[in-house]
Amino acid sequence: QVQLVQSGAEVKRPGASVTISCVTSGFTFTNHYLHWVRQAHGQGPEWVGRIHPSGGHTYYAGTFRGRVTVTRDTSTSTVHMELRSLTSEDTAIYYCATQINRWGSCGGDCYPLDHWGQGTPVTVSS
Amino acid sequence: QSALTQAASVTGSPGQSIIISCNGTNNDVGAYNFVSWYQQHPGRAPRLIIYDVNSRPSGVSSRFSGSKSGNTASLAISGLQAEDEAEYYCSSFARSGTPSVFGTGTQVTVL
C-alpha cells in the first residue's frame, strides 16, 4: 500500500535551517508529484511547494521562494525539504503529500492530495 | 495568495444536516471548478473527501456533498454522526498557479 513516512520532530533556533525527509513506497515514485504542506497550530494548511521526481522540477509558493528547497533521491524514493532562515512563524507541522489516484480533471500538479505523511513537527524557539 | 475564508465553527445534532461555506475570490474558487474539501481529526493528517466541487473519492460516505456558487463553495453533511466531529478545510486551485490554496477551517461539533 501507499506509504509516506516522514522524519522525526525537530527543534531549531531562529536563523537556523531544517531538513525534513519523506520516504515513499507502494507506488512508482517518478510518476507522481510530491508536495509539502505545513500547518501551524490552530491554523489552516498552507501549501509550501512541490517536486516532480522524474525530472526534479520544482515549484514553490511565493511566500517561501528563496528560502525553501525541495529535492529528491530516486534511488531511495525519498523527498527532502530544506527551509532556511527559520523564525518562530515557521513553527508548524510539515506534511508531505501526493496525488496517487489523480482524482478529477485539474491535471498536472493540481490534482487533490489523497495520500499524506504522518507529519513532522518543527519548533523554532530561542 | 490569501487563505480562503471559512466560519470558525458549526454545531449540529446527530441526524441533522449542516452546511459549511468557503469564501474565495474570482482568482481561485470563482475561477475554477477545482475545489476540494478535507476532513481532519485531531492529531491526524487531512483526508480528502470532495474534489472538483462535488465529486467524492471512492470510500467516502454519500452523506458528504459539495457545491459552488460564484466565489463561494459549500460542503454539506447530512445525517450527522459523532464520527463527523472534526475540522474541515476547503482548498482551491488559484490563478497564480498555486495548486492548493486552503481555507481557514471550520470545526464541526456534534452535540
Side-chain angles (χ1 to χ4, degrees):
Chain A
Q1 73 280 23
V2 174
Q3 286 194 308
L4 289 78
V5 179
Q6 300 181 223
S7 50
E10 300 271 6
V11 179
K12 296 292 181 181
R13 299 291 191 198
S17 299
V18 67
T19 298
I20 304 168
S21 300
C22 173
V23 180
T24 73
S25 61
F27 64 99
T28 303
F29 179 68
T30 50
N31 282 0
H32 301 270
Y33 286 97
L34 264 294
H35 298 250
W36 288 94
V37 175
R38 77 177 186 182
Q39 188 172 27
H41 183 68
Q43 311 263 334
E46 180 180 22
W47 185 79
V48 176
R50 60 80 172 151
I51 188 168
H52 197 290
S54 178
H57 299 109
T58 55
Y59 182 67
Y60 306 120
T63 310
F64 300 97
R65 218 162 280 158
R67 204 162 66 90
V68 68
T69 301
V70 177
T71 58
R72 92 292 190 214
D73 182 345
T74 56
S75 67
T76 59
S77 300
T78 302
V79 176
H80 307 278
M81 184 200 70
E82 179 193 29
L83 187 61
R84 300 176 291 277
S85 302
L86 294 168
T87 72
S88 58
E89 295 190 350
D90 294 314
T91 294
I93 297 176
Y94 289 74
Y95 294 98
C96 60
T98 189
Q99 308 152 294
I100 296 299
N101 293 294
R102 297 181 175 137
W103 298 108
S105 56
C106 197
D109 64 358
C110 92
Y111 288 112
L113 302 172
D114 58 4
H115 286 78
W116 296 66
Q118 83 276 21
T120 296
V122 174
T123 302
V124 183
S125 174
S126 55
Chain B
Q1 182 68 54
S2 299
L4 310 177
T5 304
Q6 300 179 234
S9 62
V10 171
T11 300
S13 299
Q16 282 188 332
S17 297
I18 62 170
I19 294 176
I20 301 167
S21 293
C22 168
N23 298 305
T25 70
N26 54 16
N27 289 318
D28 38 63
V29 174
Y32 307 97
N33 288 324
F34 299 136
V35 176
S36 299
W37 288 90
Y38 295 85
Q39 177 192 61
Q40 186 177 33
H41 288 106
R44 304 295 298 273
R47 172 198 175 210
L48 177 69
I49 58 172
I50 294 286
Y51 64 93
D52 285 10
V53 176
N54 56 14
S55 296
R56 282 186 309 277
S58 56
V60 173
S61 171
S62 58
R63 297 186 298 105
F64 295 96
S65 60
S67 62
K68 193 188 87 167
S69 177
N71 294 338
T72 299
S74 299
L75 172 72
I77 309 175
S78 62
L80 206 58
Q81 300 179 3
E83 68 204 47
D84 300 332
E85 188 161 293
E87 193 84 22
Y88 291 82
Y89 297 98
C90 58
S91 174
S92 174
F93 179 74
R95 200 186 296 276
S96 62
T98 300
S100 298
V101 177
F102 290 92
T104 51
T106 298
Q107 173 66 47
V108 169
T109 300
V110 182
L111 290 175

